[in-house]
Amino acid sequence: MVSWVLRIVVAAALLGSAGVHYFLWTQDYPGITGTLFLLDAIAGLVLAIAVLAWRHWLPALGAAGFGALTLGAYVLAATVGFMGNHDQFNSQPEYWGVITEAVCVVGGIALLFVKDRRPVAA
């Protein structure tokens, strides 16, 4: 039961991060940054489906890595600048992005350690 609830939470966080990046992509971010936002949106959607559909450690690791890399890129952009962007951490998409990506990291790591107690068919 805990495993299933945790999978839903992680998938919701992945979809939330994907939604934020898709929204930002529609706001016409220029150049490679815009392309990366679209790729992040697609990756979040694919990982959310994988977390729900595949009971394996790999989607959990993917969710944690996705959250860590995306959050790391944002921290760089908000502090020293990253790929020509320098964010200010002063908008709703930035707040939601940080929250959902932190949940992806924590939830993905937790999923790596939670055992699914469902019996395996022979």
Side-chain angles (χ1 to χ4, degrees):
M1 179 70 175
V2 171
S3 174
W4 182 243
V5 171
L6 190 54
R7 286 181 186 283
I8 291 171
V9 168
V10 171
L14 286 163
L15 290 174
S17 180
V20 165
H21 286 91
Y22 181 75
F23 170 76
L24 292 173
W25 177 73
T26 63
Q27 302 303 309
D28 294 327
Y29 267 74
I32 188 72
T33 304
T35 304
L36 291 176
F37 279 13
L38 180 60
L39 288 175
D40 208 40
I42 294 167
L45 176 63
V46 169
L47 279 169
I49 292 168
V51 163
L52 290 175
W54 189 19
R55 296 188 188 283
H56 194 265
W57 60 268
L58 202 53
L61 182 64
F66 171 87
L69 290 173
T70 306
L71 189 57
Y74 177 73
V75 168
L76 283 175
T79 54
V80 296
F82 184 64
M83 298 186 72
N85 288 339
H86 199 289
D87 292 326
Q88 301 295 319
F89 195 67
N90 61 358
S91 70
Q92 287 291 327
E94 291 171 319
Y95 302 151
W96 285 113
V98 168
I99 291 167
T100 57
E101 289 150 12
V103 171
C104 287
V105 172
V106 173
I109 292 170
L111 268 178
L112 288 172
F113 294 103
V114 171
K115 299 292 182 199
D116 189 12
R117 290 185 168 71
R118 199 167 46 109
V120 178

